[in-house]
Amino acid sequence: LSDCLACDNCMTSEEGARVFQQNQKELFRILNLNKKCDTSKHKVLAVSICPQSLPYFAAKFSLSVNDAAKGLCGFLKSLGVHYVFDTTIAADFSILESQREFVQRYQRRNQEEHALPMFASACPG
């Protein structure tokens, strides 16, 4: 749960707590607090951007996906966000690890009764 990004790809009761903590109202509350206090007391804000959201912004504003990513990152930083992370590499690692595990399970399917089926998730956390 501590790694949950509240991406809304799963539905657990714990995620409800994370979604409550990660919403627009809370973001703007912290941004406003950061504007009012000295920088040593700022709360550090980090935003993660999933690769699936970038084509939407690109199409909406008639930009390339790379330009949309740069623009979104610049916009978030202009609001006061400290760090903006792209989760593409995390998604790539997740796919590679799922593939590796599936191959191992498939090779053991005749020796282990519960080797298959394999359930997987695309959770970036």
Side-chain angles (χ1 to χ4, degrees), residues 6-105:
C7 67
D8 204 26
N9 284 331
C10 68
M11 295 314 260
T12 65
S13 58
E14 291 85 8
E15 184 190 358
R18 284 292 187 202
V19 170
F20 177 75
Q21 293 173 347
Q22 300 181 36
N23 61 53
Q24 181 179 349
K25 186 177 178 181
E26 182 67 7
L27 172 66
F28 285 114
R29 185 184 74 76
I30 292 171
L31 286 169
N32 286 328
L33 284 174
N34 281 356
K35 287 178 186 174
K36 294 175 185 174
C37 65
D38 86 43
T39 56
S40 67
K41 296 179 181 175
H42 278 190
K43 288 193 174 192
V44 176
L45 292 168
V47 173
S48 61
I49 300 174
C50 67
Q52 296 87 345
S53 64
L54 293 175
Y56 166 79
F57 287 106
K60 174 82 175 162
F61 298 106
S62 301
L63 300 168
S64 70
V65 173
N66 283 341
D67 287 342
K70 289 176 189 174
L72 185 56
C73 181
F75 171 71
L76 291 167
K77 292 237 177 183
S78 75
L79 290 177
V81 171
H82 297 92
Y83 301 101
V84 180
F85 297 101
D86 179 351
T87 61
T88 301
I89 194 162
D92 291 345
F93 279 124
S94 177
I95 290 168
L96 289 171
E97 285 300 307
S98 293
Q99 174 266 335
R100 184 190 57 76
E101 182 179 351
F102 176 77
V103 168
Q104 289 175 347
R105 286 171 168 261

